[in-house]
Amino acid sequence: PVSVVCHKNNKGGYMNHNSSQLILPGCAHWSRTPAETPMTVESSGIINGRIEDRFGKRGSSFHQGMPTYSLPLSIQNMPEGTRCFTLILADYDAIPVCGFAWIHWIAANIKFSELPENASEEYAVDLVQGVNSWASPLLKEKALPPEKASCYGGMVPPDRAHKYYLTVYALDQVLNLENGFYLNQMLDGMNGHILAA
């Protein structure tokens, strides 16, 4: 799991500067003390720090070249008051290759603490999934339509082994999102409702 340092000002998490805004997802309802066990996320699909091949380009489930067989996840020690989880799986090692961080998977309103393998496809009705980077307009003719890229899009690093960052958030409310949302929309909805990450 990735730790999040939470900041909040007296305006609900928004720091204004002229017409621009810096929005920091706040932890206004953080309910833990330092002595309590932090929320953790584990995956049986990661062995000795390496993601198993079946969740990426050497897997068996694809859509127009995009691997779609998603990692299993297990969330422990979620805080009291958790209504749902959101997740972001991103690759920042992609920046030198394509010019931006590659979003592999974003999902919201997850109501259970265990996601089995291939949940992105097999449990799609139980998840609200957003658009991943396989739909980026920068890919031009190779880009998938947003509706086809609103799911898990696995790892296909073109140059070397990459590091992938998974962040799971526990929220105190369900978000008003539908399949095909974008990451910025999820971040806006999460603002002020993060209990733990």
Side-chain angles (χ1 to χ4, degrees), residues 9-187:
N9 60 23
N10 59 6
K11 296 182 180 179
Y14 292 80
M15 298 176 65
N16 295 312
H17 179 69
N18 296 330
S19 61
S20 299
Q21 293 179 325
L22 173 62
I23 303 175
L24 302 173
C27 293
H29 307 292
W30 183 264
S31 60
R32 292 176 176 249
T33 66
E36 290 183 283
T37 305
M39 187 174 77
T40 59
V41 181
E42 298 176 352
S43 176
S44 59
I46 301 174
I47 308 297
N48 297 323
R50 297 185 65 85
I51 299 169
E52 293 192 328
D53 286 348
R54 67 183 183 277
F55 305 110
K57 64 182 179 181
R58 297 184 184 89
S60 58
S61 179
F62 295 87
H63 179 76
Q64 291 182 235
M66 177 182 68
T68 59
Y69 195 84
S70 60
L71 280 163
L73 300 175
S74 176
I75 307 166
Q76 295 90 32
N77 305 317
M78 69 286 296
E80 184 178 349
T82 297
R83 294 281 307 281
C84 70
F85 302 99
T86 60
L87 67 80
I88 303 169
L89 179 61
D91 173 10
Y92 297 96
D93 286 343
I95 295 173
V97 180
C98 62
F100 55 92
W102 191 276
I103 300 167
H104 285 278
W105 195 17
I106 49 176
N109 299 346
I110 303 166
K111 303 280 183 64
F112 29 86
S113 60
E114 300 279 341
L115 285 176
E117 291 183 13
N118 204 29
S120 177
E121 290 188 328
E122 293 184 12
Y123 293 86
V125 296
D126 299 312
L127 304 172
V128 179
Q129 299 182 87
V131 180
N132 64 43
S133 291
W134 292 87
S136 171
L138 296 176
L139 297 179
K140 298 181 180 178
E141 67 278 357
K142 294 182 179 179
L144 297 179
E147 63 272 14
K148 297 295 185 182
S150 295
C151 59
Y152 174 88
M155 298 74 177
V156 188
D159 56 339
R160 58 184 173 83
H162 284 200
K163 296 183 295 293
Y164 300 90
Y165 292 81
L166 172 69
T167 309
V168 174
Y169 298 90
L171 304 183
D172 66 0
Q173 72 171 23
V174 174
L175 302 183
N176 184 24
L177 294 172
E178 297 180 356
N179 286 323
F181 68 84
Y182 288 91
L183 177 57
N184 60 307
Q185 295 173 306
M186 187 173 83
L187 293 175

